[in-house]
């Protein structure tokens, strides 16, 4: 029996009493992935990206481990909810236009002490001030550095379109604006190099493209390390009380941790290890989060149909954004139908051994997005479900 076949047998035994569709997290794999992130961070604390987890119980589990500290959230409403739930160090990774949320933040000393908001434009400071509604608490602020690699005089850009603050001088100018403005305190600097941390460099069957990605990423790491160091020096010259410099992501943990200017690493997807994180030379994780769909039809030889399954991930549309059938091994989508909204045909010889009601296990493409589809996660240890915990959705929250 292969290791994957053994996992299938375990998962089937563990969830025998539960009807699919369902989602699980294998705690042994989750914990092993957490330990590997800590190893790669080499002593620098890891701030957990909550959008990649979306389950309070698992956020609590990983933050209880040595090497993890703080949360990187994705909306202001989520940040406030987490702070009220007892998480006392929440960095909002994206600017917000949530006026009601800012009013709550500015009116509550506990929230204001626990939540740091992201800013990359004076207009965002204006919006926060206009939203205070009488609240007088000082708002903790983090600035975001644009990490994109710009080539040929800026005519070619590699990296996500995030912050407009690309140079140390641009950052320093905004730091001075924050320093002159009552009601704000600059505490952090962040830079997410998604073109390094979030792009696999070992694409199956595409050696030339993989080589090109590795060359690009090596150049991007060198350029960013120098520019980020200069940016931190420029910021500290104006705001020497800076508390943290956050960088990285699951795919670049060890490289970002090696930069002296960086004080903490952001990571989250590496806990679940969805399929988009299979194609990296820098690390190998264990798939920890899976979902199961039930066989409901047997339309012919070498074919079964499961209920649901059309769970595409965000990002530029393409085959890599789709889930993939994982267990039993050897199943594939029908190219005429793919993953469907209410049913998904699957082809391959293993289909002939599947019965009505059997489970087919899938891997999703992007980490926390799985939790937008399921109210609960079944936590598996060995061949037993030891707990069933709510996702954000199961607690009545979607946030985006």
């Amino acid at each position: 029996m292969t290791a994957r076949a053994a996992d299938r047998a375990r998962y089937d035994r563990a969830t025998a009493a539960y009807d699919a569709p369902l989602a699980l997290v294998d705690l042994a794999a989750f914990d092993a992935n957490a330990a590997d992130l800590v190893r790669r961070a080499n002593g620098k604390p890891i701030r957990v990206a909550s959008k990649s987890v979306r389950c309070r119980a698992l956020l609590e589990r990983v933050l209880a481990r040595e090497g993890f500290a703080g949360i990187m959230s994705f909306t202001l409403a989520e940040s406030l909810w987490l702070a009220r739930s007892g998480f006392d160090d929440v960095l909002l990774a994206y600017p917000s236009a949530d006026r009601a949320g800012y009013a709550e933040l500015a009116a509550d000393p506990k929230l204001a002490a626990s939540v740091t908001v992201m800013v990359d434009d004076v207009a965002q400071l204006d919006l926060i001030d206009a939203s205070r509604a009488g609240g007088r608490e000082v708002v903790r602020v983090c600035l975001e550095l644009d990490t994109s690699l710009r080539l040929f005089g800026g005519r070619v850009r590699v990296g996500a379109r995030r912050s407009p603050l690309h140079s140390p001088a641009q950052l320093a100018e905004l730091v001075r604006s924050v320093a002159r403005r009552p009601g704000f305190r600059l505490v952090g600097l962040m830079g997410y190099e998604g073109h390094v941390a979030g792009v696999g460099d070992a694409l199956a069957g595409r050696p030339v493209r993989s080589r090109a990605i590795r060359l690009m990423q090596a150049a991007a790491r060198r350029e960013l390390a120098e520019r980020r160091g200069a940016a931190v020096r420029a910021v500290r010259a104006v705001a020497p009380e800076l508390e943290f410099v956050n960088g990285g992501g699951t795919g670049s943990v060890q490289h970002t941790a090696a930069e002296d200017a960086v004080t903490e690493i952001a990571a989250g997807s590496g806990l679940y290890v969805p399929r988009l994180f299979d194609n990296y030379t820098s690390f190998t994780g264990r798939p920890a989060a899976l979902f199961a769909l039930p066989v409901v039809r047997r339309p012919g030889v070498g074919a079964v149909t499961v209920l649901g399954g059309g769970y595409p991930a965000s990002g530029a549309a393409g085959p890599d954004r789709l889930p993939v059938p994982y267990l039993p091994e050897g199943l594939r989508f029908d190219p005429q139908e793919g993953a469907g909204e209410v049913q998904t045909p699957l082809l391959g010889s293993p289909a002939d051994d599947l019965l009505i009601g059997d489970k087919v296990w899938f891997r999703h493409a992007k980490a926390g997005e799985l939790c937008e589809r399921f109210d609960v996660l079944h936590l598996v240890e060995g061949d037993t479900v030891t707990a069933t915990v709510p996702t954000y959705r199961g607690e009545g929250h979607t946030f985006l």
Side-chain angles (χ1 to χ4, degrees):
M1 180 182 291
T2 67
R4 278 174 61 174
D7 283 341
R8 180 194 175 200
R10 284 197 302 115
Y11 300 150
D12 282 348
R13 287 195 300 271
T15 63
Y18 301 92
D19 288 335
L22 61 81
L24 67 72
V25 171
D26 184 328
L27 290 179
F30 181 91
D31 290 344
N33 293 335
D36 189 60
L37 287 170
V38 171
R39 176 190 62 80
R40 291 198 287 139
N42 195 29
K44 291 190 177 176
I46 298 171
R47 186 180 291 274
V48 184
S50 62
K51 79 177 183 69
S52 299
V53 180
R54 302 192 203 199
C55 171
R56 280 199 301 167
L58 290 174
L59 288 173
E60 291 168 352
R61 183 184 183 92
V62 72
L63 285 170
R65 298 179 63 96
E66 186 175 352
F68 289 86
I71 288 176
M72 178 175 281
S73 59
F74 59 96
T75 74
L76 182 54
E78 179 213 13
S79 305
L80 301 178
W81 177 66
L82 290 172
R84 290 193 190 95
S85 301
F87 298 96
D88 60 5
D89 181 6
V90 182
L91 169 63
L92 175 57
Y94 306 89
S96 176
D98 181 353
R99 292 175 172 83
Y102 282 131
E104 292 181 49
L105 180 67
D108 188 314
K110 180 181 184 301
L111 296 179
S114 300
V115 175
T116 301
V117 303
M118 191 64 60
V119 168
D120 58 35
D121 192 309
V122 171
Q124 294 155 357
L125 300 176
D126 294 338
L127 187 147
I128 295 171
D129 269 339
S131 305
R132 287 178 181 270
R136 296 181 178 274
E137 296 299 322
V138 172
V139 174
R140 292 167 54 86
V141 167
C142 178
L143 304 187
E144 181 169 357
L145 169 69
D146 169 40
T147 65
S148 65
L149 176 64
R150 298 183 182 182
L151 304 171
F152 305 108
R155 293 189 297 275
V156 175
R157 174 195 179 107
V158 181
R161 294 185 182 275
R162 292 176 61 110
S163 171
L165 306 174
H166 187 78
S167 70
Q170 289 173 311
L171 277 166
E173 182 179 354
L174 186 53
V175 172
R176 286 189 285 270
S177 295
V178 175
R180 289 193 297 264
R181 198 151 182 157
F184 295 93
R185 181 158 65 94
L186 180 68
V187 298
L189 178 65
M190 171 201 165
Y192 172 58
E193 54 268 36
H195 50 301
V196 178
V199 177
D201 63 350
L203 307 180
R206 305 184 71 179
V208 175
R209 180 168 176 78
S210 297
R211 172 68 173 164
I213 290 172
R214 287 194 290 274
L215 291 172
M216 176 276 292
Q217 290 178 337
R221 289 196 301 269
R222 289 191 298 270
E223 186 275 338
L224 179 58
E226 181 177 344
R227 182 161 52 88
R228 181 153 42 199
V232 172
R233 290 191 294 273
V235 170
R236 289 194 185 277
V238 183
E241 70 280 5
L242 198 69
E243 295 175 11
F244 64 86
V245 177
N246 181 282
T250 288
S252 69
V253 170
Q254 64 270 38
H255 301 298
T256 308
E259 295 184 32
D260 291 338
V262 174
T263 66
E264 62 175 42
I265 309 299
S269 296
L271 296 169
Y272 288 166
V273 187
R275 62 168 297 217
L276 279 177
F277 285 85
D278 286 349
N279 304 315
Y280 285 77
T281 57
S282 60
F283 78 103
T284 301
R286 292 172 55 182
L290 306 172
F291 68 94
L293 302 176
V295 174
V296 292
R297 286 177 168 161
R298 292 170 50 85
V301 175
V304 293
T305 302
V306 296
L307 186 68
Y311 305 159
S314 60
D320 64 335
R321 302 290 150 167
L322 296 177
V324 290
Y326 182 59
L327 303 170
E329 298 179 69
L331 292 173
R332 65 186 185 278
F333 291 127
D334 182 335
Q336 300 300 313
E337 297 194 49
E341 178 188 5
V342 291
Q343 71 163 38
T344 297
L346 298 171
L347 309 179
S349 57
D352 294 328
D353 296 323
L354 291 169
L355 305 176
I356 299 297
D358 282 353
K359 295 180 176 80
V360 175
W361 296 91
F362 290 76
R363 293 179 66 201
H364 59 299
K366 291 186 74 175
E369 294 183 17
L370 174 68
C371 295
E372 298 300 320
R373 300 287 182 170
F374 294 93
D375 290 342
V376 300
L377 298 173
H378 299 290
L379 306 185
V380 172
E381 297 184 72
D383 60 359
T384 303
V385 171
T386 56
T388 297
V389 297
T391 60
Y392 280 12
R393 169 177 158 159
E395 296 200 69
H397 298 288
T398 52
F399 296 117
L400 276 179

